[in-house]
């Protein structure tokens, strides 16, 4: 039945069959998170880093209504360039699929599809979360509800301050999802290593993390884990520069009446413009760093699930 919907790239299928390490990657970051051609360059660069670290990359997206697990280079290029690709979160999947459309998957839908295929580790830049002003707007990303129910570890650089980081962490706690600092006690704020908020647990290597994940899932504690991996120091942004850009972008979004699924892409694009492109360079560096950690984690998990 699932074969009707799922299209797994042979290399990925082979690795999954042999219980070898595989790392899922999302595609909204390609279509709505970064401009062309940097988006395509980054997506392919991330795949290379996963490979160099001994795992098989599987970039996930929806093409012609097929849930693709492992995009080819041409398909990544297509998603990076095309204008009509739908930002697809959990609620959108049945419609994008049944209408045979093209969709770029968010953290939520990438987790869902990764789990369908049997992939346990996923690398991205930042997760969605509770937006600033959510007390009024109720704007809370479906990524958080997905983390509550889908058994995939998400390696990210924390959450951007376009979100309310404190409320995001509270909501994640309500979902029963652990927030783990990778080599840090503090939850990172994407462009910077510090946010002023602590993580729930700190791990200092992939082995320790894999053991906790296996235990979680063995016990039937369904749901994901946020693995918060801070941006490398040399790529960190200046706190004041990035804070101003984010505050200005958030104010602009409000003034323009930007709402719903447009909010995150609007803010990402504006922050990039307001920092003269510097934020994009940091963004790329932290995604690469997450790909490395995700690959290491997938290797350790593969040993435990052999
Ligand atoms: N945050 C980032 N970069 C991104 C996204 C979030 O720093 O590219 C994307 C991810 O795909 C994430 C989605 O799942 O935005 C969240 O969108 P929303 O807030 O509409 O759920
Ligand atoms: Mn939203």
């Amino acid at each position: 039945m699932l074969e009707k919907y799922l299209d797994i790239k042979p290399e990925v299928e082979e690795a999954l069959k042999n219980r070898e390490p595989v790392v899922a990657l999302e595609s909204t970051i390609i279509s709505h998170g970064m401009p062309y051609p940097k988006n395509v360059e980054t997506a392919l660069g991330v795949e290379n880093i996963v490979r160099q670290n001994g795992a098989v990359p599987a970039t996930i997206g929806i093409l012609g209504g097929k849930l693709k697990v492992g995009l080819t280079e041409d398909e990544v290029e297509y998603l990076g360039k095309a204008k009509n690709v739908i930002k697809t979160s959990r609620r959108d999947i049945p419609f994008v699929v049944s209408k045979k459309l093209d969709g770029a998957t968010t953290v939520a839908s990438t987790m869902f599809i990764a789990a369908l295929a049997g992939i346990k580790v996923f690398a991205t830049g930042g997760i969605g979360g509770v937006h600033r002003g959510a007390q009024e707007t109720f704007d809370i990303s479906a990524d958080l509800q997905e983390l509550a129910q889908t058994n995939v570890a998400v390696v990210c650089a924390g959450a951007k301050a376009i979100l309310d980081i404190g409320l995001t962490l509270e909501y994640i706690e309500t979902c029963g999802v652990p927030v783990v600092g990778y080599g840090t006690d503090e939850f990172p704020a994407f462009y910077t290593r510090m946010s002023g908020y602590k993580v729930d647990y700190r791990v200092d290597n992939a082995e320790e993390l894999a053991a906790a994940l296996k235990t979680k899932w063995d016990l039937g504690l369904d749901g994901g884990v946020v693995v918060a991996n801070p941006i490398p120091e040399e790529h960190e942004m200046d706190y004041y520069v990035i804070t101003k850009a984010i505050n200005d972008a958030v104010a602009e979004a409000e003034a323009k009446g930007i709402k719903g699924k447009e909010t995150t892409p609007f803010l990402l694009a504006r922050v990039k413009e307001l920092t003269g492109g510097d934020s994009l360079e940091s963004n790329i560096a932290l995604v690469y760093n997450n790909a490395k950690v995700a690959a290491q984690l997938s290797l350790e998990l593969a040993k435990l699930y052999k």
Side-chain angles (χ1 to χ4, degrees), residues 15-306:
L16 289 169
K17 203 180 75 198
N18 298 326
R19 300 186 180 215
E20 281 158 7
V22 176
V23 172
L25 302 161
E26 63 150 309
S27 45
T28 291
I29 191 173
I30 304 174
S31 64
H32 294 72
M34 288 183 190
Y36 182 83
K38 285 272 184 189
N39 55 354
V40 172
E41 233 176 270
T42 305
L44 300 175
V46 168
E47 290 206 358
N48 275 332
I49 290 172
V50 170
R51 281 184 208 287
Q52 283 159 12
N53 285 278
V56 174
T59 302
I60 290 179
I62 305 177
L63 289 176
K66 285 273 181 202
L67 306 178
K68 299 282 246 180
V69 180
L71 296 175
T72 63
E73 246 185 81
D74 286 348
E75 289 167 342
V76 167
E77 175 83 20
Y78 169 75
L79 277 183
K81 261 189 186 160
K83 292 274 173 276
N84 54 346
V85 174
I86 299 166
K87 177 180 161 189
T88 307
S89 193
R90 171 180 257 263
R91 64 165 180 201
D92 308 293
I93 294 174
F95 295 89
V96 173
V97 169
S98 61
K99 287 172 174 286
K100 300 193 167 30
L101 302 175
D102 299 330
T105 51
T106 63
V107 168
S109 50
T110 303
M111 285 180 77
F112 175 79
I113 296 166
L116 277 187
I119 303 173
K120 298 183 179 68
V121 181
F122 164 22
T124 186
I127 53 170
V130 180
H131 279 267
R132 296 193 195 175
Q135 298 91 327
E136 287 290 319
T137 63
F138 268 58
D139 190 349
I140 301 173
S141 175
D143 292 355
L144 303 187
Q145 283 292 327
E146 199 64 43
L147 279 161
Q149 56 183 314
T150 301
N151 298 0
V152 173
V154 181
V155 182
C156 63
K160 285 200 171 88
I162 58 170
L163 303 172
D164 186 318
I165 295 179
L167 291 187
T168 299
L169 291 171
E170 289 296 345
Y171 195 97
I172 293 174
E173 183 220 8
T174 305
C175 292
V177 172
V179 176
V180 179
Y182 199 82
T184 181
D185 293 303
E186 183 148 345
F187 187 70
F190 200 88
Y191 300 113
T192 53
R193 296 173 62 87
M194 299 294 175
S195 68
Y197 294 92
K198 296 276 170 244
V199 295
D200 305 322
Y201 295 93
R202 173 190 177 131
V203 297
D204 287 293
N205 57 64
E207 201 182 339
E208 207 184 325
L209 180 54
L213 286 171
K214 175 81 166 33
T215 304
K216 182 181 196 299
W217 294 327
D218 277 352
L219 289 172
L221 288 165
D222 283 340
V225 169
V226 176
V227 180
N229 182 37
I231 184 170
E233 259 166 62
E234 64 272 26
H235 297 290
E236 243 191 317
M237 290 196 69
D238 180 86
Y239 175 81
Y240 295 98
V241 170
I242 193 65
T243 301
K244 174 150 190 351
I246 287 173
N247 287 342
D248 290 353
V250 169
E252 223 176 282
E254 210 182 300
K256 286 202 156 108
I258 308 275
K259 284 196 184 69
K261 70 191 281 189
E262 316 304 332
T263 303
T264 299
F266 175 86
L267 292 173
L268 299 180
R270 275 310 278 152
V271 168
K272 186 215 138 210
E273 285 165 11
L274 291 168
T275 57
D278 285 359
S279 68
L280 182 57
E281 293 310 314
S282 293
N283 199 342
I284 294 169
L286 66 84
V287 176
Y288 287 168
N289 189 42
N290 294 341
K292 186 177 90 188
V293 168
Q296 291 166 347
L297 175 60
S298 73
L299 260 69
E300 291 303 324
L301 267 177
K303 288 184 200 162
L304 300 180
Y305 279 95
K306 268 286 177 214

